Amino acid sequence: MRAELIAVGTELLLGQIVNTNARFLAEELAALGIDAYYQTVVGDNAVRIKEALHIARSRADLIMMTGGLGPTLDDLTRDVLAEDLGRKLEIHEPTLAKIREFYAKRGLPMAESNVRQALLPEGAEPLPNDEGMAVGSAITVNNVHYVLLPGPPREMEPMFERYVKPWLTQRLPEYKPLFSVMLKFAGIGESSLEHELIDLIGNQQDPSIAPYAKDGEVAIRLTTRAESPEEAARKMRNVQEEIRRRVGAYLYASRDIPLEQAVIDLLGGRGQTFAAAESCTGGLISHLVTGIPGSSAVFRGSVVCYTNLVKSKVLQVPLEILQGEHSPGAVSSETAELLARNVMQEMEADYGLSVTGVAGPGSSEGKPVGLVYIGVATRSGGVSSCRLQWTGSRSAIQRRAAKHALYRLWQTAGGQTATNPL
Amino acid sequence: MRAELIAVGTELLLGQIVNTNARFLAEELAALGIDAYYQTVVGDNAVRIKEALHIARSRADLIMMTGGLGPTLDDLTRDVLAEDLGRKLEIHEPTLAKIREFYAKRGLPMAESNVRQALLPEGAEPLPNDEGMAVGSAITVNNVHYVLLPGPPREMEPMFERYVKPWLTQRLPEYKPLFSVMLKFAGIGESSLEHELIDLIGNQQDPSIAPYAKDGEVAIRLTTRAESPEEAARKMRNVQEEIRRRVGAYLYASRDIPLEQAVIDLLGGRGQTFAAAESCTGGLISHLVTGIPGSSAVFRGSVVCYTNLVKSKVLQVPLEILQGEHSPGAVSSETAELLARNVMQEMEADYGLSVTGVAGPGSSEGKPVGLVYIGVATRSGGVSSCRLQWTGSRSAIQRRAAKHALYRLWQTAGGQTATNPL
């Protein structure tokens, strides 16, 4: 099967929105093993939509169109396709009933144009829209498959997952579903991780091994096609174990969760808590952690000790450590360890975490941009710190420092990750 | 002039990246008054690139191609275009010298394939690549303009701004540059702002008035075409004044800066400081503020008082206010005001800012999700608070609360915004 994507919408031609639908569908089709050689964007214009359709039909046998299924006269996709196929439009009664009910419930009059959202080319299979009004449709004419999807991604993506994917796989006789496992790492850079796994990444065909890097975390995605989850798990077991043998110390999850979630899960499972003192990360650790629902059971709070005044007054780091020609200074292992211990004690937590460093753009205390100390304190009295040096923008350094600090906490708390059994 | 965009790259067809180049160029072309009726994406395949080129030429007289200018044999765009136009490729010597120097400086051998990045169709105008290696090019043949741009946005966008835009405007006899003014608002919702300005937005043609909403802030963009900045300023003066008359209390800047920048500028200009106590925003205010370089002169620090223990122990809010059947509770104006005052005093700041509320997903103290109190304290002894109720996801509520708190601080500190004179 050879696919072509046509996105309909003048707002795309004006650059008002990005065509994320093309990326989503391209990735989904690739995962189904369907080649797609072209993507086209066209405005809300019947002549040009029809031209795009004709060109697509000359070189593809699966044409997926997004957008132009709304109620207004600008929404032309289904009209153009039906006319082009020589079919009438017919009303999909369940969709019309849903639209009428929507307005009735709210006591609003329904504009007659809303009926358009319930129209389908005669003989097409309806694709329910669980997140919106306009019904989608799928139809095969002269061995060419046509799929019409709504433009808003939050309607289109679930419609694809729930209704289009099964419709397509029925038409792919050789189809085996794709299984993947995401291995998430922290405390190790992308290039170091790739270096450790370079022979696996290069030689391994099935499962495939693909590295990803995003937002200060790195990940490895294992992917294979199999008849069942059990077969997929069997195919992935050896490579998962080999990766764990080499870089298991940095593997914080074998599913796609952020590091802060792994920390909350680890401490929350034991009824433990932590508190943080953030200097150069400026609240980012707190922001990441409190983005996780339920974090209040684990995260006591933090002090964003952005100035020496706050480090000394709120967190009792002696001024003779922070200031003066022969002092260690605010960016030092001494300060990191005191901050971690004192915030733990002050907030009565099981762990204290601290970050102090130079996020840039300028240097500080004569210390270079990117120098960061991370401290971790535990209830039992242990305090440790590590020194890191990064390069990059202010926000990149803040993000790497925040993630590395969370990794040190996870590691100090004895975090371990099991093999994903699928 | 009628344009068509062709993006070349198999990674786009596989959904590995989003075609943000199309959005960027579409918006830029629209701003130049150039219509674009189609966008196409095609893979790294000579036959299909040529087909896309032929189709584009049948319906456009400006063809802008992005991607496929790199050193590898997969990078085919310039080869296909040159062959199609019946021209040879020639070396752009300044680019080749730059590439050789890059490798020489690093003591690395230069692979011969890198020469490809210095190739141009014979007779084309070179477009310098200030951010990378591959040279761009522009050429007009038989009244059709062709522009070749590199794929990476951080190379493509500056090349467009600096070299393509002047090249295009020379070919647009009626061209007048576009001027715009961004008016940034806080403390008012998008729908309320639109309601206040509905007649202006609906009736005003020149300058055009377009509302935007993003990340808890709302903005109005005024746009006009004019011969000079003075003419543009004259055309925009009346409408800027009318907008200020109606909603000036919420206008924190007449240029495109985030609210946290306006707060830093306002307090920094007077040598004043602030400190924050963040409960439901969980560090987001601190994170936003410390993202601005130079914020350390203004922002003392904060306490992320996510738990009652931290509110009482670190910020001295009495437990009888936080807990108990007849107490106001942690989410109350009493707590907000005490937090603001105490963090100001503890951190010796000129202003104290606090947020306490229910970010969700669950309710708290029997209070509904989205209920938020914001407190502001000033050195002179004044403390005030306001009560807000929002709907939306946890992260949306956190973001709106953080932005609204910064707005209250800006307003309390007497922030005012001048008309943008252009």
Side-chain angles (χ1 to χ4, degrees):
Chain A
M1 205 180 283
R2 188 176 284 199
E4 180 146 348
L5 307 180
I6 301 176
V8 180
T10 299
E11 65 278 22
L12 290 162
L13 293 182
L14 293 175
Q16 289 164 351
I17 56 172
V18 185
N19 189 4
T20 56
N21 286 344
R23 198 209 61 76
F24 174 85
L25 291 173
E27 192 176 36
E28 293 286 335
L29 291 175
L32 291 172
I34 299 174
D35 290 324
Y37 289 149
Y38 295 95
Q39 299 168 359
T40 303
V41 175
V42 62
D44 300 312
N45 174 291
V47 173
R48 289 192 281 271
I49 296 171
K50 190 177 274 196
E51 187 188 322
L53 191 57
H54 288 179
I55 291 174
R57 192 156 57 208
S58 72
R59 55 195 188 187
D61 53 7
L62 168 60
I63 299 175
M64 308 205 48
M65 303 180 79
T66 51
L69 300 188
T72 76
L73 290 176
D74 269 1
D75 292 304
L76 296 166
T77 307
R78 84 202 122 216
D79 306 68
V80 170
L81 179 66
E83 196 207 302
D84 196 61
L85 298 177
R87 308 219 165 191
K88 286 186 193 149
L89 287 166
E90 57 185 18
I91 289 176
H92 183 239
E93 292 295 344
T95 296
L96 184 59
K98 187 175 95 170
I99 297 172
R100 288 202 193 286
E101 194 191 328
F102 174 89
Y103 284 96
K105 260 193 182 163
R106 285 160 184 75
L108 297 168
M110 184 187 97
E112 218 23 56
S113 60
N114 278 295
V115 176
R116 290 175 51 74
Q117 297 186 93
L119 294 177
L120 291 176
E122 213 176 5
E125 192 164 321
L127 304 171
N129 188 339
D130 297 339
E131 313 294 331
M133 293 292 173
V135 68
S137 58
I139 187 169
T140 305
V141 178
N142 295 331
N143 296 317
V144 179
H145 308 295
Y146 302 86
V147 178
L148 301 191
L149 295 164
R154 63 180 181 75
E155 299 178 24
M156 190 280 285
E157 295 180 8
M159 188 184 286
F160 183 88
E161 287 294 340
R162 292 173 202 158
Y163 307 109
V164 180
K165 210 190 251 187
W167 191 87
L168 285 174
T169 54
Q170 278 171 20
R171 285 154 182 80
L172 293 167
E174 300 292 302
Y175 175 71
K176 278 189 198 177
L178 204 66
F179 293 88
S180 68
V181 166
M182 200 70 135
L183 302 176
K184 302 278 309 251
F185 297 87
I188 185 169
E190 187 187 12
S191 54
S192 305
L193 184 67
E194 282 195 38
H195 180 77
E196 295 294 333
L197 305 177
I198 189 78
D199 56 315
L200 296 178
I201 294 169
N203 300 332
Q204 185 85 22
Q205 294 293 321
D206 186 22
S208 65
I209 305 181
Y212 289 81
K214 209 184 124 198
D215 289 346
E217 295 188 357
V218 289
I220 297 281
R221 177 144 68 177
L222 308 179
T223 306
T224 191
R225 287 188 190 281
E227 299 283 0
S228 67
E230 293 72 29
E231 187 196 337
R234 207 161 43 241
K235 289 171 75 174
M236 293 202 206
R237 191 171 305 130
N238 286 349
V239 68
Q240 277 204 68
E241 277 166 18
E242 181 60 21
I243 291 172
R244 175 189 309 283
R245 198 183 63 72
R246 298 188 191 187
V247 286
Y250 308 103
L251 177 67
Y252 75 80
S254 54
R255 60 200 175 99
D256 193 8
I257 57 168
L259 178 55
E260 48 274 18
Q261 179 80 62
V263 168
I264 297 288
D265 291 349
L266 176 67
L267 300 187
R270 306 181 188 154
Q272 291 185 319
T273 60
F274 84 99
E278 299 196 55
S279 180
C280 73
T281 46
L284 180 55
I285 293 174
S286 310
H287 174 55
L288 291 171
V289 168
T290 59
I292 308 291
S295 52
S296 57
V298 169
F299 180 60
R300 281 277 154 92
S302 68
V303 176
V304 179
C305 45
Y306 208 56
T307 47
N308 280 350
L309 181 136
V310 176
K311 289 184 188 77
S312 65
K313 217 181 144 203
V314 183
L315 289 173
Q316 295 87 44
V317 179
L319 277 175
E320 51 279 20
I321 285 185
L322 295 170
Q323 293 168 359
E325 210 182 328
H326 299 292
S327 74
V331 179
S332 65
S333 58
E334 288 85 346
T335 298
E337 294 187 10
L338 284 167
L339 287 172
R341 197 194 62 192
N342 294 356
V343 80
M344 173 184 73
Q345 288 175 349
E346 178 74 11
M347 297 193 180
E348 301 176 12
D350 296 300
Y351 296 93
L353 183 61
S354 73
V355 186
T356 180
V358 187
S363 60
S364 172
E365 299 181 340
K367 289 163 186 165
V369 172
L371 178 68
V372 172
Y373 289 87
I374 290 169
V376 186
T378 66
R379 236 335 138 101
S380 57
V383 186
S384 65
S385 62
C386 64
R387 179 186 185 282
L388 298 141
Q389 174 70 56
W390 288 299
T391 55
S393 69
R394 179 181 173 86
S395 68
I397 290 167
Q398 287 181 327
R399 187 156 279 274
R400 295 181 82 165
K403 289 285 183 176
H404 201 96
L406 288 165
Y407 166 69
R408 298 284 299 184
L409 174 59
W410 181 85
Q411 192 191 38
T412 303
Q416 288 196 329
T417 302
T419 297
N420 187 327
L422 282 170
Chain B
M1 205 180 287
R2 187 176 285 198
E4 181 146 348
L5 307 180
I6 301 177
V8 179
T10 300
E11 66 277 21
L12 290 161
L13 292 182
L14 292 174
Q16 290 164 349
I17 56 172
V18 185
N19 190 5
T20 55
N21 286 344
R23 196 210 62 75
F24 175 84
L25 291 173
E27 192 177 35
E28 292 287 334
L29 292 175
L32 292 173
I34 299 173
D35 290 325
Y37 290 149
Y38 295 94
Q39 299 167 0
T40 303
V41 176
V42 62
D44 300 310
N45 175 290
V47 173
R48 290 192 280 272
I49 296 171
K50 190 177 276 197
E51 188 187 322
L53 191 58
H54 289 179
I55 291 173
R57 192 157 54 205
S58 73
R59 55 195 189 188
D61 52 8
L62 168 60
I63 299 175
M64 306 206 49
M65 304 180 79
T66 50
L69 300 189
T72 76
L73 290 176
D74 270 2
D75 292 304
L76 295 167
T77 307
R78 82 201 124 215
D79 307 68
V80 171
L81 179 65
E83 195 208 302
D84 196 62
L85 297 178
R87 307 218 167 192
K88 286 186 192 148
L89 287 167
E90 57 184 18
I91 289 177
H92 183 240
E93 292 296 344
T95 296
L96 184 58
K98 187 175 93 169
I99 297 172
R100 288 202 194 284
E101 194 191 327
F102 175 88
Y103 284 95
K105 260 194 182 163
R106 285 159 183 76
L108 296 168
M110 184 186 100
E112 221 19 59
S113 59
N114 278 296
V115 176
R116 290 173 52 72
Q117 297 185 94
L119 294 177
L120 291 178
E122 213 176 3
E125 191 163 323
L127 304 171
N129 188 339
D130 298 337
E131 313 294 332
M133 293 291 175
V135 67
S137 57
I139 186 169
T140 304
V141 178
N142 295 332
N143 296 316
V144 178
H145 307 295
Y146 302 87
V147 177
L148 301 191
L149 294 164
R154 64 180 179 77
E155 300 178 24
M156 191 280 286
E157 295 180 9
M159 189 184 288
F160 183 89
E161 287 294 341
R162 291 173 205 159
Y163 307 109
V164 180
K165 209 189 252 187
W167 191 87
L168 286 174
T169 53
Q170 279 171 17
R171 285 154 182 81
L172 293 168
E174 300 291 302
Y175 175 72
K176 278 189 198 176
L178 204 66
F179 293 87
S180 66
V181 166
M182 200 68 133
L183 302 177
K184 303 277 311 251
F185 296 87
I188 184 169
E190 186 188 12
S191 54
S192 304
L193 183 68
E194 282 195 39
H195 179 77
E196 294 294 334
L197 305 178
I198 188 77
D199 56 314
L200 295 179
I201 293 169
N203 300 333
Q204 185 85 23
Q205 294 293 323
D206 186 20
S208 65
I209 305 180
Y212 290 80
K214 208 182 124 200
D215 289 346
E217 296 188 356
V218 289
I220 297 281
R221 177 144 68 178
L222 308 180
T223 306
T224 191
R225 288 189 188 281
E227 299 283 359
S228 65
E230 293 71 29
E231 188 196 337
R234 206 161 45 241
K235 287 170 76 176
M236 293 203 206
R237 191 171 303 130
N238 286 348
V239 68
Q240 277 203 69
E241 276 168 18
E242 181 61 21
I243 290 172
R244 174 188 311 280
R245 198 183 62 73
R246 297 189 192 186
V247 286
Y250 308 102
L251 177 67
Y252 75 81
S254 54
R255 59 200 175 100
D256 192 7
I257 57 169
L259 178 55
E260 48 274 20
Q261 178 80 61
V263 169
I264 296 289
D265 292 348
L266 176 67
L267 299 188
R270 303 181 191 154
Q272 290 185 318
T273 60
F274 84 99
E278 301 196 55
S279 180
C280 72
T281 47
L284 180 56
I285 293 174
S286 310
H287 174 56
L288 291 172
V289 168
T290 59
I292 307 292
S295 51
S296 57
V298 169
F299 180 60
R300 281 278 153 91
S302 68
V303 175
V304 179
C305 47
Y306 209 54
T307 47
N308 280 350
L309 181 137
V310 175
K311 290 185 187 76
S312 66
K313 218 181 140 203
V314 182
L315 289 172
Q316 294 87 43
V317 179
L319 278 174
E320 52 278 22
I321 285 185
L322 295 170
Q323 293 168 358
E325 211 182 327
H326 300 291
S327 74
V331 179
S332 65
S333 58
E334 288 84 345
T335 298
E337 295 187 9
L338 283 167
L339 287 172
R341 196 194 62 192
N342 294 357
V343 81
M344 172 185 73
Q345 289 175 349
E346 179 72 12
M347 298 194 180
E348 301 177 11
D350 296 301
Y351 296 92
L353 183 62
S354 72
V355 187
T356 180
V358 187
S363 60
S364 171
E365 300 181 340
K367 289 164 185 165
V369 172
L371 177 67
V372 173
Y373 289 88
I374 290 168
V376 186
T378 66
R379 241 328 145 100
S380 58
V383 185
S384 65
S385 63
C386 63
R387 180 186 185 281
L388 298 141
Q389 174 71 56
W390 287 300
T391 56
S393 69
R394 179 180 174 85
S395 67
I397 290 167
Q398 286 181 327
R399 186 157 281 273
R400 294 180 82 163
K403 289 285 184 176
H404 201 96
L406 287 166
Y407 166 69
R408 297 283 298 184
L409 174 59
W410 180 85
Q411 192 190 36
T412 304
Q416 287 195 331
T417 301
T419 297
N420 187 326
L422 281 170

